[in-house]
Amino acid sequence: MVASRDVALAQRTVEAHWEADLSAEARERSRTVIDLDAEENACPACGAKFQTAAGRCGECGLRFG
Ligand SMILES: [Zn+2]
């Protein structure tokens, strides 16, 4: 929790620290947009392809929906 006047600085700081711990590949995947109407998607966490209807990534278990 931060004062409203500090929100922008707090967001930039959190994003900088969060991205510093990720590889370039993981940063790219984290920006993936999932289309829940598509038959298949790529998981933003591990990059594996999964059937959207399954509701979760079969590789890492990340849940969708
Ligand atoms: Zn996954």
Side-chain angles (χ1 to χ4, degrees):
M1 183 177 292
V2 298
S4 56
R5 68 179 180 272
D6 297 330
V7 168
L9 175 60
Q11 285 179 325
R12 286 195 305 271
T13 303
V14 167
E15 288 170 5
H17 283 279
W18 184 75
E19 289 197 345
D21 291 339
L22 297 176
S23 67
E25 182 182 343
R27 279 195 297 275
E28 182 73 25
R29 280 198 313 264
S30 74
R31 295 182 182 97
T32 300
V33 176
I34 299 296
D35 178 0
L36 294 176
D37 293 327
E39 187 172 318
E40 184 179 83
N41 272 290
C43 176
C46 72
K49 299 274 189 214
F50 67 95
Q51 297 298 306
T52 308
R56 68 186 327 161
C57 172
E59 186 69 25
C60 73
L62 186 64
R63 300 187 79 141
F64 300 90

